[in-house]
Amino acid sequence: MAALTGTLPTAVVSIRPAKRQARLNVVAQARGYNPQQLENLNSSTPFDNFKFAPVKEATVNRAMTRRYFQDLDNYAECDVIIVGAGSAGLCCAYELSKHPEIKVALIEQGVAPGGGAWLGGQLFSAMCVRKPADELLDELNVPYEDEGDMVVIKHASLFTSTLLSKVLAAPNIKMFNATAVEDLIVREDPVMGRYVGGAVTNWTLVSLNHDTQMCMDPNVMESKVLVSSTGHDGPMGASGVKRLAKMGMVDSAPGMSALDMNSAEDMVVRNTREVVPGMIICGMEVAELDGAPRMGPTFGAMFMSGQKAAHCALNSLRRQNVLKAPATPVRERELAHA
């Protein structure tokens, strides 16, 4: 007998299919079918005569590039930039999708959005969500098993794919993936002081290889509010708060503390906020700035922190509108002497 790892003898390859077909023919005839009928049952599918419509390669090129460059033009100025399309960033974008008048650019450094929310802890399938964050699952019609104080989704990807589909379908949101935010736009204002006014962007592959090639300058996107949801420390993680710390706009970013689920999730949601004018932090980036504990494989805080960040962004936009509104003559004199 030939070894399993070796090449099968030619006789075996040629004889076995013939013998198998002969046996199938005998079985078919015994059941009232002729061999051709059996062959048709075995090979026929609804797609056998399928044919694509003709297309020119240049037409495909123009269809993609025209739309992408139009998006770059439309979102050169926007209301909100969300940096990071993990679970917190996607939840923020979803909440803002309920406000179609707000133009939102969602920037994700990876090709695939979703961050670590495609799987549960230690690459297991199930996703654990502590109550009351299950309310978002009900809103999205994501099924789960109720285990009392928490619920369990059978596969984390079920949640993430559902949420992502809602975000991508929203007319006021455009996601730019495979795009890195290399820096922040920071300006001075006589009332607000230093504030964040947008993002400095580049292709992710360029950002990861600045040391291996000639300098390739970035692009920019202006915003009224930037939500930083880049996660915990990593190759591009916590990049927003680390940049603020380097510029002295926050005292420090000590990094997240050791795991404590019960205190971690409450603290992350509670501390989701506008940390400097024009910039909001959410998700695990909150823990990196405030030294909050990590929560490990529970996701409720990411959902609710992202949703809260959306409302922080809306509040910031409202405040900016008030500050930019023309002042009354009396108020002008008060401001002049302030």
Side-chain angles (χ1 to χ4, degrees):
M1 185 174 180
L4 291 177
T5 55
T7 303
L8 289 175
T10 304
V12 174
V13 174
S14 59
I15 292 173
R16 283 183 176 172
K19 285 185 177 180
R20 183 170 61 251
Q21 187 61 49
R23 290 169 183 163
L24 289 173
N25 291 344
V26 171
V27 172
Q29 290 170 349
R31 286 162 174 75
Y33 288 90
N34 64 47
Q36 186 57 50
Q37 287 175 313
L38 181 66
E39 179 62 26
N40 290 341
L41 288 174
N42 186 51
S43 62
S44 178
T45 77
F47 301 95
D48 290 346
N49 297 315
F50 190 85
K51 185 175 177 60
F52 286 98
V55 70
K56 288 189 61 172
E57 285 80 359
T59 302
V60 175
N61 175 310
R62 293 189 180 101
M64 294 187 299
T65 54
R66 181 174 64 250
R67 287 168 173 80
Y68 198 86
F69 286 115
Q70 185 62 55
D71 287 333
L72 286 175
D73 183 70
N74 289 340
Y75 285 85
E77 294 180 272
C78 52
D79 296 310
V80 179
I81 292 174
I82 303 171
V83 184
S87 51
L90 286 175
C91 285
C92 180
Y94 170 71
E95 197 69 15
L96 288 172
S97 74
K98 301 172 185 177
H99 300 268
E101 74 281 4
I102 305 299
K103 186 192 292 188
V104 181
L106 176 58
I107 303 177
E108 165 56 37
Q109 58 92 12
V111 172
W118 292 107
L119 290 167
Q122 201 169 318
L123 306 183
F124 297 152
S125 300
M127 173 183 273
C128 298
V129 179
R130 293 169 62 200
K131 295 180 178 179
D134 59 313
E135 294 174 5
L136 175 62
L137 305 179
D138 293 334
E139 186 176 321
L140 294 170
N141 292 316
V142 174
Y144 55 78
E145 296 177 46
D146 195 321
E147 296 200 357
D149 291 331
M150 72 174 187
V151 301
V152 182
I153 306 167
K154 68 176 183 178
H155 203 297
S157 297
L158 177 59
F159 165 76
T160 302
S161 59
T162 302
L163 177 65
L164 185 58
S165 69
K166 300 288 188 184
V167 169
L168 293 176
N172 62 320
I173 297 172
K174 166 62 184 178
M175 183 172 70
F176 298 91
N177 47 331
T179 303
V181 171
E182 294 187 334
D183 205 349
L184 305 171
I185 298 174
V186 176
R187 302 192 182 102
E188 295 279 350
D189 180 85
V191 176
M192 294 189 297
R194 297 176 81 188
Y195 71 98
V196 174
V200 179
T201 63
N202 215 326
W203 306 123
T204 299
L205 288 176
V206 172
S207 294
L208 292 173
N209 288 280
H210 279 309
D211 295 336
T212 65
Q213 60 192 351
M214 294 182 295
C215 176
M216 295 186 69
D217 284 331
N219 201 351
V220 290
M221 297 174 72
E222 291 188 39
S223 66
K224 298 172 184 175
V225 179
L226 183 143
V227 178
S228 194
S229 57
T230 62
H232 53 68
D233 195 17
M236 292 187 179
S239 58
V241 295
K242 287 191 288 189
R243 185 61 174 136
L244 292 181
K246 190 171 183 179
M247 293 187 293
M249 294 179 71
V250 296
D251 292 336
S252 65
M256 63 184 175
S257 186
L259 191 147
D260 179 359
M261 287 185 185
N262 287 293
S263 64
E265 293 204 279
D266 289 341
M267 187 171 178
V268 164
V269 177
R270 183 172 62 249
N271 289 10
T272 297
R273 65 196 186 278
E274 188 169 18
V275 66
V276 298
M279 179 166 159
I280 292 154
I281 57 171
C282 67
M284 290 309 298
E285 199 158 356
V286 174
E288 290 289 336
L289 179 63
D290 295 340
R294 61 192 300 181
M295 71 283 301
T298 57
F299 287 80
M302 299 301 98
F303 302 176
M304 300 187 76
S305 176
Q307 289 182 286
K308 180 180 177 181
H311 290 276
C312 291
L314 293 171
N315 289 339
S316 181
L317 291 171
R318 295 185 191 107
R319 188 182 67 252
Q320 291 179 40
N321 287 337
V322 170
L323 291 175
K324 291 177 181 177
T328 63
V330 173
R331 186 61 181 146
E332 287 281 11
R333 289 193 294 273
E334 290 175 350
L335 289 172
H337 292 89

